[in-house]
Amino acid sequence: MKETGVVVNIKGALATVKVKRPAASKGCCHFDTTKDEFLEAYNNCNAAVNDTVSVESEVETEKRQAFIKFGLFIAAFMIGLVGGYYVAGLFNAANLNGLFSIAAALLAIVITHIVYKRLNGEAKRIPVINEIVYNT
């Protein structure tokens, strides 16, 4: 998602950018329905304070990753249910099919969560200043 904003502060490789975003409530009146928000972004273009810049964030990538994670959890849950049903059959515990299924499904979700977290990490995704629109 690309946004345009003004650089208000620079700290090393990071810049604080003020962007205008829609307010939470969109009224029917003729008032300004935007609010100022501040983003921390990598300053790859060496922008200076008061420069108007274009900032690109990874919102679409994060949405796609959340969808994939949700799909993985659902798949793990279903595999756990089916696997638990068959494990109960191996132990000749037909009256405990449900218990085995739920326990295996929860175990599959926990294992999937641990593996997913290890592979992707919990790193903070920071937007990037990709161009200077206007120099001051």
Side-chain angles (χ1 to χ4, degrees), residues 94-125:
N95 57 344
L96 298 175
N97 282 345
L99 182 64
F100 274 89
S101 293
I102 295 297
L106 293 177
L107 181 64
I109 286 179
V110 169
I111 291 171
T112 303
H113 175 69
I114 291 169
V115 169
Y116 188 84
K117 194 170 182 180
R118 290 272 174 125
L119 292 177
N120 290 328
E122 294 294 326
K124 182 178 178 185
R125 291 170 177 80

Side-chain angles (χ1 to χ4, degrees), residues 76-102:
F77 185 77
M78 294 300 208
I79 291 170
L81 285 177
V82 172
Y85 180 80
Y86 285 111
V87 168
L90 290 175
F91 289 113
N92 292 325
N95 57 344
L96 298 175
N97 282 345
L99 182 64
F100 274 89
S101 293
I102 295 297

Side-chain angles (χ1 to χ4, degrees), residues 48-60:
V49 175
N50 293 328
D51 283 352
T52 302
V53 295
S54 176
V55 179
E56 188 171 355
S57 62
E58 301 175 351
V59 172
E60 294 302 319

Side-chain angles (χ1 to χ4, degrees), residues 21-40:
R21 291 193 175 158
S25 62
K26 298 202 180 214
C28 60
C29 303
H30 299 287
F31 297 115
D32 184 18
T33 59
T34 61
K35 62 179 179 174
D36 292 335
E37 288 191 14
F38 295 93
L39 300 174
E40 291 287 324

Side-chain angles (χ1 to χ4, degrees), residues 56-85:
E56 188 171 355
S57 62
E58 301 175 351
V59 172
E60 294 302 319
T61 304
E62 290 175 10
K63 285 181 184 176
R64 191 176 322 114
Q65 286 177 347
F67 182 72
I68 290 170
K69 185 177 180 180
F70 179 73
L72 284 174
F73 284 139
I74 293 297
F77 185 77
M78 294 300 208
I79 291 170
L81 285 177
V82 172
Y85 180 80

